[in-house]
Amino acid sequence: MQYALITGGSRGIGKAVCLKLADMGYNIIINYTSNDEEAKKTADAVKAKGVDAVLLKCDVSNMEAVDSTIGKWMEENKDKTISVLVNNAGIKRDNIMVLMPPEDWHKVMDTAVDGFFFVSRLVVKDMLVKRKGRVVNVVSLSGLKGLPGQTNYSASKGAVIAATKALAQEVGKRGITVNAVAPGFIKTEMTQDLPEDQIKGMIPMNRFGEAEEVASVVGFLVSKDSTYITGQVISVNGGLYS
Ligand code: NAP
C-alpha cells in the first residue's frame, strides 16, 4: 500500500504529478486548500487509472490544519505508507518590493517554506522509521536566479532549495532522497495572466512548458532510475536559465 502525497495536487503541475505517479502505480493522496470541484475531478482521473485516490484538504501553511488532516490520516492508516512526498503547493503575489503589502510577503513565504516544513516533518519522520522514501520539492527558476517583482516568491523558493540540500544530507544514510525541480514558465492558472507571446522570445525553446513536462521529471526522481541522486535541483525551463 504505497502512497504518494502531492501538496497542491488538485490543479496545474500538482495534478499532472498525481496522474504521472498514478500511471507509475502509486496510490495518490491529493492535498489542496479551497477548490473542491477541481480536487474531485483530479481524484476521479486518478481513480480511473486503477489506483486509490484520497483527498486531504488543508492549508499547508497552517500547522494545526496539517497535523489534523495529514497527520490524522497517517495515524488512522498505519497499514499504508507514504513513500513519496511532493511538496508542490505554492502561490504568487507579485509586486515590486517597496510596494509589497506585508501580508503578501508572508502568505507566499508561509505557503512555500512553512508548508514544506509542516508537511515534511510528519512524512519524513515516518520515512526515517521505514528507511525508505523520496521527497521532491517543486521550486522555481525564480528561486535560482531571482526575478524582479517576485522578491517574496524568489526568497521562498530559494529557502526551499537550501532546505532541500540540508535535508538531503540529514536523511541520506536512511535511504531517503530529497531533490527539487525548478520549473521556468509553465502553462497553468498561475501563469495564465502572463503575456506568453512577449515572454516566449526570451526562452530558447520559444514556448512555455506543459505541466506534464515537469511531472515527468518528478516521476524520474521517484523512480528506481534515480536511486543515487539526492540534494539536487533539476531545472525544467526550456533553456531559459541553468
Ligand atoms: P496552480 O495551478 O495555481 O495550482 C496551485 C495548487 O496549489 C492548487 O492545487 C492549490 O489548491 C494548491 N494550493 C495553493 N495554496 C495552498 C495551500 N496553502 N495549501 C494547500 N494547497 C495549496 O499552480 P502551479 O502553476 O501548478 O504551481 C505549482 C507549483 O509549481 C507551485 O509551487 C509554483 O510555485 C511552482 N511553479 C510554477 C511555475 C509555473 O510557471 N506555473 C513555475 C515555477 C514554479 P486549490 O485549488 O485548492 O487552490
Side-chain angles (χ1 to χ4, degrees), residues 7-15 30-36 38-39 56-62 87-92 107 110-112 138-142 153 157 181-191 194 208-209 211 214:
T7 70
S10 58
R11 294 188 286 112
I13 292 170
K15 177 177 184 173
I30 303 157
N31 157 259
Y32 68 106
T33 188
S34 59
N35 191 331
D36 298 314
E38 288 304 312
L56 291 183
K57 179 179 182 178
C58 71
D59 175 353
V60 293
S61 69
N62 178 327
N87 286 303
N88 166 77
I91 55 166
K92 68 179 172 88
K107 190 71 198 155
D110 294 353
T111 304
V138 180
V139 293
S140 172
L141 168 72
S142 190
Y153 188 80
K157 297 298 190 180
V181 172
F185 292 96
I186 307 297
K187 277 188 235 169
T188 67
E189 278 178 50
M190 186 178 271
T191 53
L194 297 178
F208 279 16
V214 180

Side-chain angles (χ1 to χ4, degrees), residues 53-95:
V54 177
L55 286 173
L56 291 183
K57 179 179 182 178
C58 71
D59 175 353
V60 293
S61 69
N62 178 327
M63 191 173 75
E64 287 73 32
V66 170
D67 288 350
S68 63
T69 50
I70 297 171
K72 185 162 175 261
W73 185 89
M74 291 173 70
E75 199 58 41
E76 291 175 352
N77 292 277
K78 290 209 187 294
D79 56 325
K80 297 169 181 158
T81 299
I82 301 178
S83 49
V84 170
L85 167 61
V86 182
N87 286 303
N88 166 77
I91 55 166
K92 68 179 172 88
R93 296 279 186 278
D94 294 355
N95 209 333

Side-chain angles (χ1 to χ4, degrees), residues 169-182:
Q169 293 173 67
E170 287 183 13
V171 300
K173 276 192 191 129
R174 295 278 185 124
I176 300 162
T177 66
V178 186
N179 291 290
V181 172

Side-chain angles (χ1 to χ4, degrees), residues 135-166:
V135 180
V136 180
N137 300 318
V138 180
V139 293
S140 172
L141 168 72
S142 190
L144 286 167
K145 80 187 284 265
L147 287 176
Q150 293 199 318
T151 51
N152 51 356
Y153 188 80
S154 298
S156 74
K157 297 298 190 180
V160 175
I161 288 169
T164 300
K165 295 176 182 181

